[in-house]
């Protein structure tokens, strides 16, 4: 009895070691490739909302974690900064629309330094209704492009709403809650950027160039 | 030889995972919104099934009944995790779309089912074949369902195929209907139930027809035959 138990235990342990070893091996073997794939996907997503050719810094490595109630993230998320000859040019901020129909909707918002939107994209996964709320995805409809060129200056606070609520943004057929949440999140992101942009660009610059900082 | 052809028939038709055993419904219903998703999940499932059948068959002598299930689960979990890593490395966007359903392959009953029901009792070669055709059978149903839902739910076919087949497949997308708003019902999970029901029904109709033909062949009504069969089947 005892013998069979210990034999089985040893066998189970052996299999645990072998299978874990296999997983560890695959993990190590694919690690670099995965990081590369993530990097590429990120680069593709970022350049899509920030038309290339204007900035000349390494956008992917010029980032800083941000966390603020207006951005509505549960955890700090990375913001990316584009500079032209060292001068602030544009930023890509992470944002979150917590009031989506199916909960959180992650967004990235591209902003020129003057506060004009260059592009917005929804980051999968989200839980909006397929066929209705998921039209916020660029793959499903062009709705999200309606934000391009908008800013706090050319669109008043009252207009940062869907048409149904008296604003100037289209709602989607059969889905009002989703666009309402996204419009609100983007409006909040603009307000955040407007208040904090100088600080953001300064802090991220300091983060990227620690040596140039003068020691007190 | 007939053994192998039986395995193939079973996997693709007689014991098809999706239409006869009706296993693995969770991913089947969740990711069949488009053909590319269906192929992605189908390939991943087939790979895991193939691997687990092979490994289980190889170790079948050394594992006794008391611990066989935990061992099989470990093997399947390890293979699934490896598949996940590999998909993440080489088909990153597809991996993002399929999301949670890749790790959930572990819980697909058909994999443990084939390990325990077939590979445990059979030599390696038949087990490999069994894993392959069972996976293919599952994938075929996934693709049928994906095509059906993509056509009527979105009005396209083979969109985004470049996620699996690279940039060569970028132009494979076919627009079936222009300005087609899509039938929302079919894009949502209930549409998958509906589609799977249809596929099973069609399979059953074909099975019935085949049986009829077989029966007629087996008992040709001769000129002199006077017996009339009223009930039952010919055994």
């Amino acid at each position: 009895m005892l013998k069979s138990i210990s034999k089985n235990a040893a066998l189970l342990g052996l299999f645990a070691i072998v299978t874990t070893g296999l997983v560890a091996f695959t993990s190590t073997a694919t690690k670099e490739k995965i990081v590369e794939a993530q990097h590429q996907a990120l680069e593709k997503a970022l350049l899509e909302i920030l038309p290339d050719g204007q900035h000349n810094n390494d956008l992917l490595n010029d980032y800083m974690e941000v966390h603020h109630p207006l951005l509505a993230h549960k955890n700090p998320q990375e913001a990316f900064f584009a500079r032209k000859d060292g001068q602030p040019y544009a930023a890509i901020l992470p944002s979150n629309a917590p009031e989506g129909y199916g909960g959180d909707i992650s967004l990235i918002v591209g902003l020129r330094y003057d506060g004009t939107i260059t592009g917005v994209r929804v980051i999968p996964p989200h839980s909006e209704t397929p066929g209705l709320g998921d039209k916020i995805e660029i793959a499903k409809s062009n709705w999200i492009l309606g934000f391009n060129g908008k800013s706090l200056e050319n669109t008043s606070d009252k207009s940062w709403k869907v048409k149904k609520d008296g604003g100037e943004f289209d709602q989607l057929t059969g889905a009002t809650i989703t666009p309402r949440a996204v419009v609100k999140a983007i409006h909040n992101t603009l307000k955040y950027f407007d208040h904090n942009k100088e600080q953001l660009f300064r802090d991220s610059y300091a983060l990227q160039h620690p040596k140039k900082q003068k020691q007190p | 030889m007939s053994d192998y052809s039986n395995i193939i028939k079973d996997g693709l038709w007689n014991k098809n995972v999706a239409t006869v055993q009706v296993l693995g419904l969770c991913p089947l219903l969740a990711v069949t919104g488009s053909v590319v998703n269906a192929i992605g999940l189908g390939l991943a499932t087939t790979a895991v099934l193939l691997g687990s059948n092979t490994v289980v068959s190889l170790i079948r002598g050394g594992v006794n009944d008391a611990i066989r299930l935990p061992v099989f689960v470990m093997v399947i979990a390890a293979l699934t995790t490896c598949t996940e890593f590999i998909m993440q490395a080489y088909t990153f966007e597809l991996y993002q779309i399929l999301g949670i359903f890749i790790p959930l392959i572990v819980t697909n009953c058909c994999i443990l089912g084939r390990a325990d029901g077939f590979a445990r009792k059979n030599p390696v070669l038949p087990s490999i074949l069994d894993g392959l055709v069972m996976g293919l059978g599952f994938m075929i149903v996934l693709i049928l369902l994906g095509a059906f839902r993509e056509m009527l739910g979105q009005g396209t076919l083979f969109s985004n195929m470049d996620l699996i087949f690279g940039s060569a497949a970028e132009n494979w997308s076919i627009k079936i209907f222009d300005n087609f708003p899509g039938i929302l019902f079919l894009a949502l999970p209930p549409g998958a139930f509906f589609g799977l029901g249809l596929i099973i029904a069609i399979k059953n109709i074909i099975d019935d027809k085949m049986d009829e033909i077989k029966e007629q062949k087996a008992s040709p009504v001769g000129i002199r035959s006077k017996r009339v069969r009223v009930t039952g089947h010919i055994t």
Side-chain angles (χ1 to χ4, degrees):
Chain A
M1 176 72 180
L2 204 62
K3 202 180 163 193
S4 80
I5 290 177
S6 51
K7 191 191 154 217
N8 282 350
L11 209 58
L12 263 181
L14 182 73
F15 271 103
I17 292 167
V18 172
T19 49
T20 315
L22 181 68
V23 171
F25 172 75
T26 321
S27 172
T28 330
T30 54
K31 202 176 204 165
E32 263 176 45
K33 194 81 190 157
I34 290 174
V35 172
E36 195 183 304
Q38 281 169 336
H39 205 77
Q40 269 175 2
L42 182 68
E43 186 173 20
K44 205 176 145 199
L46 293 184
L47 289 182
E48 209 170 281
I49 62 169
L50 201 71
D52 197 19
Q54 301 285 333
H55 64 278
N56 50 16
N57 64 327
D58 184 5
L59 181 64
L60 281 186
N61 286 318
D62 197 343
Y63 63 88
M64 183 177 74
E65 290 203 327
V66 289
H67 195 205
H68 193 274
L70 279 175
L71 300 178
H73 288 114
K74 291 190 184 75
N75 301 306
Q77 301 271 330
E78 283 161 357
F80 295 84
F81 300 91
R83 290 164 220 273
K84 194 177 180 183
D85 304 327
Q87 292 302 308
Y89 171 68
I92 292 171
L93 294 183
S95 181
N96 184 29
E99 291 161 13
Y101 190 68
D104 288 352
I105 306 167
S106 275
L107 304 160
I108 48 173
V109 183
L111 293 159
R112 243 186 276 275
Y113 191 65
D114 62 7
T116 318
I117 294 178
T118 54
V120 183
R121 288 293 181 276
V122 173
I123 311 273
H126 61 79
S127 333
E128 300 310 299
T129 322
L132 298 174
D134 72 347
K135 294 212 177 85
I136 52 173
E137 285 177 31
I138 187 75
K140 302 276 161 69
S141 89
N142 285 336
W143 181 80
I144 203 90
L145 300 179
F147 290 103
N148 292 2
K150 301 281 179 192
S151 68
L152 288 179
E153 269 169 33
N154 65 21
T155 310
S156 68
D157 276 6
K158 267 188 207 159
S159 303
W160 275 100
K161 288 190 175 113
V162 293
K163 280 180 180 157
K164 207 178 191 176
D165 301 338
E168 67 171 54
F169 295 95
D170 286 326
Q171 52 262 13
L172 297 164
T173 319
T176 311
I177 296 174
T178 309
R180 192 181 276 157
V182 174
V183 170
K184 191 178 169 187
I186 293 171
H187 189 204
N188 282 339
T189 310
L190 283 180
K191 283 194 246 175
Y192 169 80
F193 188 65
D194 194 43
H195 291 152
N196 298 293
K197 57 185 178 187
E198 285 164 25
Q199 178 99 37
L200 280 172
F201 274 98
R202 211 168 39 232
D203 287 357
S204 61
Y205 188 80
L207 203 69
Q208 303 309 318
H209 306 271
K211 281 172 202 165
K212 288 182 185 172
Q213 248 181 334
K214 280 176 189 164
Q215 297 293 330
Chain B
M1 231 9 239
S2 74
D3 247 16
Y4 288 109
S5 73
N6 270 341
I7 292 175
I8 294 175
K9 273 186 204 158
D10 276 356
L12 295 182
W13 192 265
N14 292 336
K15 289 185 189 166
N16 187 289
V17 177
T19 59
V20 180
Q21 302 182 53
V22 201
L23 293 176
L25 279 193
C26 169
L28 183 87
L29 298 174
V31 303
T32 51
S34 68
V35 175
V36 65
N37 290 2
I39 293 178
L41 188 84
L43 284 177
T45 309
T46 307
V48 174
L49 197 51
L50 191 64
S52 82
N53 260 15
T54 313
V55 174
V56 166
S57 175
L58 280 172
I59 60 173
R60 70 186 189 283
V63 179
N64 62 37
D65 275 2
I67 58 163
R68 68 168 205 274
L69 287 178
V71 168
F72 295 170
V73 171
M74 266 195 283
V75 169
I76 296 167
L79 288 169
T80 306
T81 316
C82 294
T83 311
E84 197 188 341
F85 281 133
I86 292 168
M87 285 191 76
Q88 218 173 335
Y90 295 98
T91 56
F92 187 72
E93 284 175 65
L94 187 70
Y95 167 82
Q96 278 189 318
I97 295 174
L98 293 178
I100 184 69
F101 293 102
I102 298 298
L104 273 182
I105 290 174
V106 178
T107 63
N108 191 333
C109 305
C110 86
I111 294 166
L112 188 60
R114 290 329 283 174
D116 202 46
F118 191 92
R120 183 166 67 93
K121 304 161 193 159
N122 287 284
V124 178
L125 271 181
S127 297
I128 292 178
L129 185 66
D130 181 74
L132 189 68
V133 290
M134 280 286 165
L136 278 180
F138 186 60
M139 184 155 87
I140 289 170
V141 176
L142 279 172
I143 293 174
L144 280 177
L145 206 50
F148 170 73
R149 289 178 68 197
E150 192 180 337
M151 258 196 291
L152 297 176
Q154 300 177 23
T156 60
L157 200 57
F158 307 123
S159 60
N160 295 330
M161 291 297 262
D162 51 311
L163 294 187
I164 299 180
F165 300 104
S167 50
E170 256 166 21
N171 301 321
W172 290 11
S173 177
I174 305 169
K175 198 118 185 110
I176 305 282
F177 310 106
D178 274 332
N179 287 324
F180 178 61
I183 303 169
L184 181 58
F185 166 72
L186 287 172
L188 293 173
F193 272 106
F194 182 73
L196 181 63
L198 272 182
I199 290 174
I200 294 178
I202 291 169
K203 181 194 176 285
N204 286 348
I205 291 172
I206 296 173
D207 272 347
D208 280 354
K209 283 270 182 293
M210 299 285 259
D211 279 354
E212 251 171 54
I213 293 167
K214 236 184 236 168
E215 231 164 273
Q216 274 172 5
K217 271 186 189 161
S219 63
V221 185
I223 304 163
R224 269 179 258 170
S225 93
K226 285 168 188 169
R227 282 172 59 192
V228 176
R229 184 172 291 277
V230 184
T231 54
H233 292 279
I234 297 158
T235 48

